[in-house]
Amino acid sequence: MNIIKSMNALLILVVAVLFSQHAVSLNADEAYDVNVRVQLIWGTNGENPYPDKLKELEDKLKDKLKSVFKWKNYFEVSRHDIGLKKDRTKRIRISRKCELELTFTGDSNLEIKLFGEGKFVNKVRQSIAPDEHAIIAGDDKNDTAWFIAFSFQPPEKEKDNKTR
Amino acid sequence: MIDERKELKIQAYLDGELTIFGRYKVNRLLAHNAEARRLHAELNSIQELLHHNELDHPLPEDKESFRTRITHQLRVEGEGTSRVPNRIRPVLKWVAASAATALIIFAGVYSLMSPENSNQTPAHVLLGGESIEPEAANASFITFKSESAKLSVVWVDTKSSPVASPIN
């Protein structure tokens, strides 16, 4: 009986130790070095076909895109705010077919791996200034285009959350 | 006291053999040294004397000198077609090549920007991206940066690469 009690106590101790270590690691993960905003954007000359799903892109980024690209309307399909630690990689799915791997390599350098339908497409190493956007983009059907915008966000938005 | 080296310099100055820097140094010597000025005047007067009193006595031209003269003339005429100095020519070639490349890129990009050519990549300014490592077979990428819009763009040519549109 004493042996069983001792075993139970030992088991509780082991569980407690493991839980505390996990808690420590969770806290450590929350102290991100940078916060990256990833926005999947759709550019079109037409109207918004899904007003309930596609949000009008914020004016600042929309004006930037309009000044460079030919499309008149830009809609945000999804947005992800990702906290990254230096030299750590995070993989996110931004659409049904497209995934990204993001690695913060220090200073203002971001390494982006793009996967289309599970296939590695390309790797981009980009230095992004605080008020700059890095864009990976391509043509889409019916004379439209997709854009993935990357930007560093101020520290107060340190949350790894998907807004939509 | 003018030494032999300075004397030779003054002679070379009069013969027009010095570089701009050499001429500058001799000018300074002449400005500050009376003896140098005297030598310069003397050498100059000798040179002018010889120049004006040289007999014009042409030598009979043999076959070899005739050939040399014709070759020289042809070379001079060939060079005469271009008024650009030889040392500027490589620079001009480089500038012309760069301008042509920039013009081609600009024309391509400009044509892509117009709605008539909506199948192709639209961009205003072409610049190098940081780094791209394409992996997909036949994938092609164009990188450009708009300083005014503060955008760095990697344009993936989805018509030749198996990139799936992330919208769908």
Side-chain angles (χ1 to χ4, degrees):
Chain A
M1 196 65 176
N2 280 341
I3 294 171
I4 292 170
K5 276 185 180 174
S6 302
M7 289 286 281
N8 278 343
L10 186 65
L11 190 64
I12 289 165
L13 185 67
V14 168
V15 169
V17 167
L18 287 174
F19 182 77
S20 64
Q21 280 182 342
H22 181 63
V24 167
S25 70
L26 281 177
N27 284 336
D29 281 345
E30 281 167 9
Y32 302 121
D33 291 324
V34 287
N35 299 287
V36 181
R37 175 162 293 175
V38 182
Q39 290 165 278
L40 177 60
I41 298 156
W42 186 55
T44 177
N45 283 324
E47 297 303 311
N48 186 350
Y50 308 107
D52 51 332
K53 288 182 182 175
L54 302 177
K55 188 180 119 183
E56 187 87 24
L57 188 65
E58 76 225 38
D59 285 345
K60 194 178 171 186
L61 183 53
K62 186 171 75 180
D63 291 344
K64 280 185 173 189
L65 292 172
K66 277 174 89 170
S67 72
V68 174
F69 298 102
K70 66 177 184 179
W71 290 279
K72 293 173 189 163
N73 301 319
Y74 295 86
F75 302 104
E76 190 177 272
V77 182
S78 69
R79 178 192 292 195
H80 303 256
D81 286 334
I82 313 292
L84 289 175
K85 293 185 81 175
K86 189 173 180 289
D87 297 328
R88 294 275 191 88
T89 300
K90 275 193 181 175
R91 188 165 178 137
I92 56 164
R93 178 176 287 278
I94 59 165
S95 77
R96 195 163 54 85
K97 292 181 177 177
C98 184
E99 287 177 283
L100 298 168
E101 266 187 17
L102 303 175
T103 311
F104 173 59
T105 56
D107 294 328
S108 58
N109 298 313
L110 195 63
E111 190 176 281
I112 306 155
K113 280 185 184 175
L114 176 67
F115 297 85
E117 293 185 317
K119 291 178 189 167
F120 174 44
V121 178
N122 72 332
K123 182 165 77 176
V124 178
R125 276 189 289 270
Q126 186 72 50
S127 176
I128 309 171
D131 55 344
E132 266 186 1
H133 281 85
I135 305 280
I136 299 178
D139 293 303
D140 204 359
K141 289 181 288 188
N142 302 323
D143 191 23
T144 61
W146 55 267
F147 303 85
I148 310 168
F150 302 87
S151 59
F152 286 119
Q153 294 298 306
E156 64 268 14
K157 292 174 183 171
E158 286 185 11
K159 288 277 164 68
D160 185 352
N161 64 317
K162 182 181 174 182
T163 55
R164 266 191 309 285
Chain B
M1 180 70 188
I2 295 291
D3 59 20
E4 193 180 339
R5 196 175 62 83
K6 284 179 181 166
E7 194 175 328
L8 284 171
K9 285 277 182 197
I10 292 169
Q11 185 64 60
Y13 176 85
L14 287 167
D15 293 336
E17 292 170 355
L18 292 181
T19 60
I20 293 172
F21 184 63
R23 291 183 68 81
Y24 169 72
K25 279 170 52 172
V26 174
N27 277 333
R28 282 196 63 184
L29 180 71
L30 294 173
H32 295 97
N33 192 318
E35 195 176 349
R37 280 197 298 276
R38 188 196 54 75
L39 181 64
H40 173 263
E42 188 182 325
L43 288 171
N44 195 27
S45 62
I46 292 169
Q47 194 179 49
E48 280 183 3
L49 202 66
L50 285 170
H51 181 70
H52 289 115
N53 295 295
E54 206 169 6
L55 289 174
D56 189 15
H57 183 68
L59 290 168
E61 193 170 51
D62 60 1
K63 279 182 185 174
E64 189 58 37
S65 65
F66 178 74
R67 190 182 293 126
T68 308
R69 185 169 59 82
I70 294 297
T71 310
H72 178 71
Q73 234 171 13
L74 286 172
R75 192 163 60 233
V76 167
E77 279 171 15
E79 285 172 358
T81 54
S82 169
R83 292 178 185 177
V84 181
N86 280 343
R87 52 183 186 176
I88 301 174
R89 207 170 289 168
V91 179
L92 278 181
K93 275 184 186 172
W94 184 85
V95 170
S98 305
T101 309
L103 194 66
I104 289 165
I105 291 168
F106 178 77
V109 168
Y110 185 78
S111 68
L112 295 177
M113 285 299 297
S114 64
E116 295 84 48
N117 291 319
S118 56
N119 292 337
Q120 297 173 54
T121 308
H124 280 157
V125 188
L126 274 179
L127 278 175
E130 284 289 310
S131 165
I132 301 173
E133 293 175 23
E135 186 67 21
N138 303 320
S140 61
F141 304 93
I142 298 174
T143 65
F144 54 94
K145 187 167 187 173
S146 169
E147 294 291 348
S148 57
K150 294 186 174 177
L151 280 182
S152 303
V153 180
V154 176
W155 188 267
V156 183
D157 184 0
T158 50
K159 287 182 175 57
S160 59
S161 74
V163 179
S165 163
I167 303 295
N168 302 310

